[in-house]
Amino acid sequence: MTTTGDLPEVVSREEWLAARKELLAEEKELTRARDRVNAHRRRLPMVRVDTAYAFEGPDGTVGLTDLFEGRPQLVVHHFMWTYDIDADGTEHPRDDGCTSCSSAADQIPARLRQLRVRNTTLAAVSRAPYEKIAAFRDRMGWTFPWYSSAGSTFNQDFHATLDDRVAPVLLNYRTAEELAGTGTPWDASMRGDYPGISAFLRVGDEVFHTYSTFGRGIEEFHNSNNYLDLTALGRQEAWEEPKGRAVPLGLHVGGPALRIPDAYET
């Protein structure tokens, strides 16, 4: 059962049109607000990347500039992996990426030409060994570039991997002290990978970090949400208004029903 029976009111076409025009005014306000935020984002200062990071890809070891594929802009999906972890903290990568990141990756366009003709390259980066990444990518049928950052500090430097034993914590731009102040103190169980998206700009031979986002900042890239937000039942998640409209499916990020994409087929 998908709904609880609390469906939208049935009205005449004229009444619907009047209500739709009221909502249109709010949508226009949201669009203008988004344009302002995007402009503020473009005005952010940037930081020169001086570390010579090494990544493993289909052509062997490459540097950060190689990920741009000759274009001036690069967008990186920080793709979490799954690990078995020993009592001493030693990680053993599994054969699968995380379900939430896999859900986002499953919605990356098969053709990236609309980004590429706009001077932008998209790639994913994970800490897992490249052979694990390549096998999982082939299994999923994905075609976007995907690299391993294993052995480098790339993930830690851009706060997509957090470990207080290695570097100070900065979780969604909150330090350990700030997290404690919000009632969610940092502890050892929170160590590990986090999903995120970072943007870089290449100017000649120099690379600059311009932006990163985490948490709900990446949910727009779960592209099905944009379609679901247009529907009467929405994403069918427990937090949505109006309350009780739809039965929660548990398919939210980190949700109990979220699966590796090919698992839905069985």
Side-chain angles (χ1 to χ4, degrees):
M1 182 177 179
T2 304
T3 72
T4 62
D6 181 24
L7 298 178
E9 179 185 3
V10 178
V11 298
S12 68
R13 175 58 63 180
E14 292 74 20
E15 291 171 308
W16 180 89
L17 182 58
R20 177 65 187 91
K21 287 182 175 180
E22 287 184 15
L23 179 61
L24 180 60
E26 293 186 56
E27 290 176 335
K28 287 180 178 292
E29 180 182 347
L30 178 61
T31 297
R32 289 189 288 268
R34 184 172 61 244
D35 289 344
R36 288 194 298 272
V37 170
N38 288 341
H40 292 164
R41 184 182 296 113
R42 290 190 293 272
R43 292 188 181 103
L44 275 175
M46 59 188 184
V47 179
R48 182 180 287 103
V49 179
D50 292 321
T51 303
Y53 296 109
F55 303 89
E56 191 73 18
D59 299 320
T61 302
V62 297
L64 181 56
T65 55
D66 297 302
L67 271 58
F68 284 77
E69 297 180 349
R71 302 180 184 91
Q73 296 197 124
L74 171 68
V75 177
V76 169
H77 274 263
H78 298 289
F79 195 117
M80 296 171 58
W81 204 256
T82 54
Y83 299 86
D84 293 314
I85 304 176
D86 295 340
D88 64 0
T90 302
E91 296 177 326
H92 304 279
R94 299 177 183 173
D95 293 332
D96 299 335
C98 97
T99 54
S100 296
C101 288
S102 295
S103 175
D106 208 42
Q107 298 169 71
I108 293 174
R111 294 186 179 91
L112 296 173
R113 58 189 170 202
Q114 298 303 324
L115 281 174
R116 290 168 176 167
V117 298
R118 291 164 174 83
N119 306 309
T120 303
T121 298
L122 182 144
V125 172
S126 299
R127 283 193 305 132
Y130 181 70
E131 58 269 21
K132 295 276 188 183
I133 291 172
F136 187 60
R137 177 177 176 265
D138 290 346
R139 170 184 151 193
M140 294 294 104
W142 297 331
T143 57
F144 54 83
W146 195 352
Y147 299 88
S148 168
S149 62
S152 82
T153 61
F154 181 80
N155 276 47
Q156 290 86 350
D157 292 348
F158 293 97
H159 309 293
T161 298
L162 303 181
D163 189 336
D164 53 298
R165 300 167 298 182
V166 176
V169 169
L170 193 66
L171 175 56
N172 203 7
Y173 300 108
R174 288 175 173 166
T175 64
E177 293 76 15
E178 290 169 333
L179 288 169
T182 65
T184 55
W186 175 266
D187 64 51
S189 68
M190 300 166 73
R191 293 169 181 158
D193 292 350
Y194 286 81
I197 295 178
S198 292
F200 300 88
L201 179 69
R202 183 173 60 85
V203 182
D205 293 329
E206 293 187 302
V207 174
F208 299 88
H209 174 226
T210 61
Y211 182 74
S212 288
T213 189
F214 306 93
R216 291 196 66 182
I218 67 173
E219 72 173 12
E220 289 186 33
F221 304 96
H222 290 250
N223 291 321
S224 61
N225 286 345
N226 299 324
Y227 292 104
L228 293 169
D229 286 342
L230 303 179
T231 68
L233 300 184
R235 305 179 192 183
Q236 296 151 79
E237 297 181 10
W239 60 271
E240 288 181 292
E241 297 285 350
K243 293 289 186 182
R245 165 66 58 83
V247 175
L249 300 178
L251 291 171
H252 54 279
V253 170
L258 202 61
R259 301 284 184 266
I260 296 297
D262 61 357
Y264 295 119
E265 299 170 5
T266 56

